[in-house]
Each structure stands twice: as structure tokens, then as C-alpha cells.
């Protein structure tokens, strides 16, 4: 889960004090401990005292540094997404449909490597109260969906009048809902891929030209949800 520069750059870069370094290290330990506990538990759930004990910090530390368990889980999930999507350059020059379906395929490929961990992460979120769950912000929107939309827009592949914020929110909610079903109902990972491909293809179908629409229609037909 996880530069060397010129003398001028070194002078302009503020040094992190020991206190800040200590706080950052304790945050990393807490996030790492959360990942370990989620991986070990059948339902992914753990208490804040268990988290503090595993990280070797006082009980107050997780609350002081994160404020809530949801914030710890959010940091953990964001780190995972950043880890398997370090660069969006793979989309450069691809046809629009291959970008849309490629985002889905890359996500699913990452989750397929550690399905139990990601299922447990969702279960841990569902064990929280409503107020805490509301604090969780899916990192998929900012780290994957928005770069997809920005790239399509800057390359002139989306109509200029399409509200990008609404499009990003729709795709993120579609992903989150499908991901939750996969985790809570123990779908096969290939079903997650089929349904996400179908959903993303349907959202973009009316936004692309005829050639792209034909490709998306094929994807929707091939990705028609089936019973496992």
C-alpha cells in the first residue's frame, strides 16, 4: 500500500520538521494497520482500539490524526487506487471507446488481484454508522473518472455542452453501486467487469459519433449481465 534538484529548488522547498515527520509516519502506520486488519478479518471490520494497538499508538491518535474511522478507510482506499493507477498516459491517442472500456478493465484487473481485501473494505464501510459512511468519498471519481473525462474533452471527443461535473458524478455513482453489489453479494469478478462495461457504455453511447456508438453497442451486448 503503499529528486534531486538544483540548489535553488532545494532552497525553495520547505523542510518538514520533526513533528510533521512524526505525524506523517503515524498516519502511515495507521493506514497500514487498517489494511492488515481488513485483510485478516472475514468481514473486514475492526475497532479503533484494535487499530491503535496494531499501529502501536495511543487510542486518541487515530481520532486526532484522522477524526473518524471512515477517514482512515478513505485514505486506505485512495492509496490503493493511486497504487494501481499511477499514470493516465495509457489513454493518450486511443479511440474514445477504448479509453472508456479501458478504465473499467484496469479497475477490475486491480480488484481481481485481491478480491477478498476489496470486498472486506466495502464490508468495513458498511459496518459504520450512517453519519460516518457519509464522510467516505470514493477516490475513483477524482483519480480515474475525471482524468478520463478531461482527456476526452480536451481531445474534442465530447460535445462541448456536456456538463463534465454531472458526467463524472454519474459514472462514479455507477461504479460505486456496482462495486458494492460485487463486494456484498460475492459476485464473480467477471460479472463486475461485464456490468461496469455495460453501464459505462450506456452512459457514453449518446455522447460519441456513429463509429464509437457501434463499438459501444457491441460492448453492451457482450457485457449483458448474466446469472453466475
Amino acid at each position: 500500500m503503499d529528486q534531486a534538484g538544483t540548489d535553488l529548488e532545494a532552497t525553495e522547498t520547505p523542510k518538514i520538521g520533526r513533528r510533521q515527520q512524526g505525524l506523517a509516519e503515524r498516519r502511515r502506520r495507521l493506514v497500514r494497520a487498517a489494511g492488515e486488519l481488513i485483510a485478516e478479518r472475514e468481514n473486514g471490520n475492526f475497532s479503533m482500539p484494535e487499530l491503535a494497538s496494531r499501529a502501536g499508538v495511543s487510542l486518541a491518535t487515530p481520532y486526532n490524526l484522522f477524526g473518524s474511522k471512515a477517514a482512515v478507510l478513505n485514505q486506505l482506499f485512495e492509496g490503493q487506487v493511486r497504487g494501481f493507477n499511477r499514470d493516465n498516459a495509457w489513454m493518450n491517442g486511443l479511440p474514445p471507446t477504448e479509453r472508456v472500456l479501458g478504465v473499467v478493465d484496469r479497475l477490475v484487473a486491480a480488484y481481481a488481484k485481491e478480491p477478498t481485501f476489496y470486498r472486506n473494505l466495502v464490508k468495513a464501510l458498511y459496518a459504520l454508522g450512517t453519519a460516518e459512511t457519509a464522510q467516505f468519498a470514493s477516490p475513483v471519481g477524482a483519480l480515474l473518472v475525471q482524468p478520463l473525462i478531461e482527456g476526452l474533452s480536451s481531445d474534442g471527443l465530447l460535445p462541448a455542452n456536456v456538463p463534465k461535473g454531472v458526467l463524472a458524478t454519474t459514472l462514479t455513482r455507477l461504479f460505486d453501486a456496482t462495486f458494492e453489489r460485487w463486494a456484498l453479494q460475492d459476485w464473480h469478478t467477471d460479472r463486475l467487469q461485464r456490468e461496469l462495461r455495460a453501464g459505462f457504455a450506456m452512459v457514453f453511447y449518446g455522447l460519441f459519433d456513429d463509429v464509437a456508438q457501434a463499438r459501444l453497442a457491441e460492448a453492451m451486448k457482450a457485457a449483458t449481465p448474466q446469472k453466475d
Side-chain angles (χ1 to χ4, degrees):
M1 293 189 311
D2 194 345
Q3 320 174 328
T6 64
D7 292 340
L8 177 60
E9 291 172 334
T11 301
E12 292 179 342
T13 302
K15 294 183 178 180
I16 300 177
R18 290 184 178 179
R19 181 174 183 278
Q20 287 73 23
Q21 290 178 346
L23 291 174
E25 174 57 25
R26 285 194 286 276
R27 288 177 67 91
R28 285 193 292 270
R29 283 160 55 187
L30 284 163
V31 172
R32 184 166 56 247
E36 293 171 356
L37 290 168
I38 284 174
E40 294 170 3
R41 306 295 172 84
E42 184 176 350
N43 62 1
N45 198 18
F46 60 85
S47 67
M48 290 295 260
E50 288 174 323
L51 176 64
S53 176
R54 175 63 65 92
V57 299
S58 70
L59 177 57
T61 300
Y63 294 100
N64 291 338
L65 295 182
F66 288 95
S68 68
K69 184 176 175 181
V72 177
L73 295 176
N74 194 81
Q75 187 76 32
L76 174 62
F77 198 5
E78 180 176 331
Q80 293 292 308
V81 175
R82 287 188 186 278
F84 62 71
N85 188 66
R86 298 180 184 278
D87 188 358
N88 290 299
W90 65 270
M91 287 188 276
N92 295 344
L94 287 179
T97 53
E98 302 314 311
R99 302 187 200 189
V100 171
L101 300 178
V103 164
V104 170
D105 293 343
R106 288 167 70 89
L107 273 169
V108 173
Y111 295 145
K113 292 179 181 178
E114 297 184 87
T116 300
F117 173 82
Y118 287 107
R119 285 192 172 105
N120 285 354
L121 179 55
V122 172
K123 292 173 183 176
L125 283 168
Y126 267 74
L128 301 176
T130 304
E132 264 202 290
T133 305
Q135 300 174 32
F136 185 84
S138 173
V140 171
L143 298 178
L144 293 172
V145 170
Q146 288 183 3
L148 168 65
I149 294 172
E150 291 297 335
L152 291 170
S153 178
S154 63
D155 290 344
L157 299 172
L158 284 179
N161 61 349
V162 171
K164 292 185 288 187
V166 174
L167 181 57
T169 298
T170 299
L171 291 170
T172 302
R173 288 176 177 170
L174 189 158
F175 167 79
D176 287 345
T178 309
F179 182 48
E180 288 170 8
R181 288 290 185 108
W182 169 75
L184 299 177
Q185 297 184 11
D186 289 329
W187 286 357
H188 294 161
T189 304
D190 60 352
R191 181 174 179 182
L192 172 66
Q193 183 176 29
R194 291 196 306 265
E195 298 213 7
L196 279 175
R197 273 177 153 250
F200 273 52
M202 188 170 292
V203 170
F204 279 99
Y205 183 83
L207 304 179
F208 291 160
D209 61 24
D210 292 344
V211 174
Q213 285 183 351
R215 173 70 179 91
L216 290 178
E218 291 175 5
M220 284 188 283
K221 184 177 180 180
T224 301
Q226 305 168 5
K227 292 185 178 179
D228 292 322

